[in-house]
Amino acid sequence: AFWVGISIGGLSSFYSELMKGLGAGGRLWELIEKKPQLPFNGGKDVFRGALEFKDVEFAYPTRPETSIFKDFSLSIPAGSVMALVGPSGTGKSTIVSLLLRLYDPISGTITIDGFDIRQLNPLWFRTKIGTVSQEPILFSCSIAENIAYGAEDPSTVTAEEIQKVAEIANANSFIRDFPKGFDTVVGEKGILLSGGQKQRIAIARALLKVSHILLCPFPTPFVTSALDAENEYLVQEALDRLMEGRTVLIIAHRLSTIQNADFVAVLGQGKILECGKHEELLANPNGLFRKLMQKQAFLQNNDTCALDLQSRE
Ligand code: ATP
């Protein structure tokens, strides 16, 4: 409403007033014009996706007195899968918010391939981050359009590219079984898909995104027991293919989601209390992670992680 009230004629004087208000340096321009400062190699970016949080201190602006992170450091090598675990309220989701630059740390740095993410254009940076959640959102349009949505410019995606990612995501065969194939409309106005089918379409969509970082905020195991065994296998296989070559951060609210992680970090008291290779942490009899696993196994003796723990002992 503020902008609507300004007539075109008054716009230029308003703009100069605004620039004066912002200071002669024109910081607004600087922000709009900001280009990614990552090195480019003959037009191809050499973004690999190594993530590092270094001595991060953070409190939400609305609760400055409550520190969420004090001395938080975490390093995720490019192309590896890190699962972040920890009790409720320790700040797992906050880490995702910081990565997406919904907030900036009070002190300390978050870098990607050594570049402070504050130096990068946030919109550009977000295009490099893919996400897969347990409840993927499909739009009321064709399956092809739903998949193409993952690309930077959906209008340029070819039918071959869509089929290729659908194949990798184990979605091709069920899509072809529909009379209208990739033109089948899904969602409220069309065919209702099963949970596993939706997940595979979401994975195909994520495959189209040229992302080097994948965030998986899984509130419960992604591959749930609600899926039948075949569906479960197909979804897990598609997910493994999506993770390949990407730096993956799994926010594991349940311990059973982390079986495929290379590294596990245990979060508590505003910092990483324990971090290491999955098997090593599990093998440490006095380790926190092992205790967490045992506790969960005790609480939910039907959970897959309980079976896992037993089979490793
Ligand atoms: P859970 O496993 O329950 O999802 P979590 O580990 O993801 O928890 P966060 O959601 O990151 O934890 O929350 C960490 C702390 O920050 C909590 O005390 C929460 O109440 C607080 N918090 C989260 N979001 C906000 C916000 N927007 N403003 C103020 N405080 C917040």
Side-chain angles (χ1 to χ4, degrees):
F2 181 62
W3 282 96
V4 172
I6 301 163
S7 70
I8 297 292
L11 196 60
S12 61
S13 65
F14 169 78
Y15 178 74
S16 63
E17 284 307 309
L18 178 69
M19 293 317 277
K20 262 190 243 158
L22 285 167
R27 286 185 44 237
L28 180 66
W29 253 171
E30 253 175 57
L31 216 62
I32 296 169
E33 291 276 84
K34 211 163 199 167
K35 292 258 169 19
Q37 294 181 11
L38 285 173
F40 281 77
N41 187 3
K44 280 188 177 172
D45 78 52
V46 289
F47 202 57
R48 294 181 62 240
L51 279 175
E52 184 161 22
F53 288 72
K54 200 150 187 266
D55 304 327
V56 168
E57 187 190 339
F58 179 71
Y60 280 96
T62 49
R63 292 166 64 200
E65 69 293 346
T66 313
S67 171
I68 309 291
F69 299 123
K70 274 215 172 100
D71 185 17
F72 180 87
S73 295
L74 178 67
S75 175
I76 313 176
S80 62
V81 180
M82 167 76 75
L84 196 62
V85 302
S88 176
T90 42
K92 298 182 294 296
S93 308
T94 306
I95 286 170
V96 173
S97 302
L98 288 171
L99 258 180
L100 293 174
R101 292 217 46 221
L102 300 178
Y103 304 94
D104 278 333
I106 294 168
S107 62
T109 53
I110 302 170
T111 59
I112 172 153
D113 296 341
F115 290 86
D116 190 327
I117 61 171
R118 279 175 294 199
Q119 304 299 313
L120 307 173
N121 176 329
L123 294 179
W124 175 85
F125 179 56
R126 276 182 212 167
T127 66
K128 301 288 166 200
I129 301 182
T131 49
V132 190
S133 64
Q134 183 161 19
E135 294 287 335
I137 295 167
L138 296 189
F139 306 108
S140 277
C141 54
S142 75
I143 291 179
E145 285 166 317
N146 264 289
I147 294 176
Y149 179 75
E152 208 161 320
D153 181 358
S155 65
T156 61
V157 183
T158 64
E160 287 74 32
E161 284 172 310
I162 291 174
Q163 278 172 28
K164 194 173 155 207
V165 288
E167 179 83 48
I168 300 171
N170 285 333
N172 228 350
S173 59
F174 83 78
I175 295 171
R176 293 205 173 284
D177 282 347
F178 294 130
K180 289 191 176 167
F182 280 85
D183 294 328
T184 307
V185 172
V186 294
E188 279 164 26
K189 291 185 189 146
I191 283 193
L192 292 177
L193 299 171
S194 76
Q197 290 172 333
K198 273 194 220 164
Q199 284 173 349
R200 281 179 274 157
I201 288 181
I203 290 170
R205 181 193 282 167
L207 279 162
L208 262 191
K209 189 165 182 168
V210 190
S211 62
H212 302 258
I213 298 171
L214 188 67
L215 297 178
C216 306
F218 297 156
T220 53
F222 183 71
V223 179
T224 63
S225 49
L227 297 181
D228 60 60
E230 195 197 343
N231 233 327
E232 181 179 324
Y233 172 76
L234 292 173
V235 171
Q236 189 59 58
E237 191 179 59
L239 194 61
D240 290 345
R241 288 175 184 163
L242 174 64
M243 288 181 175
E244 213 174 299
R246 289 179 162 92
T247 307
V248 184
L249 180 62
I250 299 176
I251 306 297
H253 290 78
R254 291 264 305 274
L255 295 174
S256 45
T257 24
I258 57 171
Q259 287 158 32
N260 296 336
D262 301 315
F263 301 99
V264 175
V266 183
L267 184 61
Q269 296 147 27
K271 55 177 133 185
I272 297 295
L273 299 174
E274 194 173 271
C275 183
K277 289 207 166 146
H278 190 180
E279 305 77 24
E280 284 168 14
L281 295 192
L282 211 53
N284 177 2
N286 299 318
L288 246 176
F289 177 60
R290 190 179 155 98
K291 283 188 185 139
L292 272 172
M293 289 290 265
Q294 278 169 328
K295 193 171 166 203
Q296 182 156 334
F298 175 74
L299 292 174
Q300 299 164 343
N301 56 7
N302 282 330
D303 198 320
T304 47
C305 81
L307 297 173
D308 244 11
L309 193 69
Q310 279 158 9
S311 65
R312 284 167 200 268
E313 281 180 341

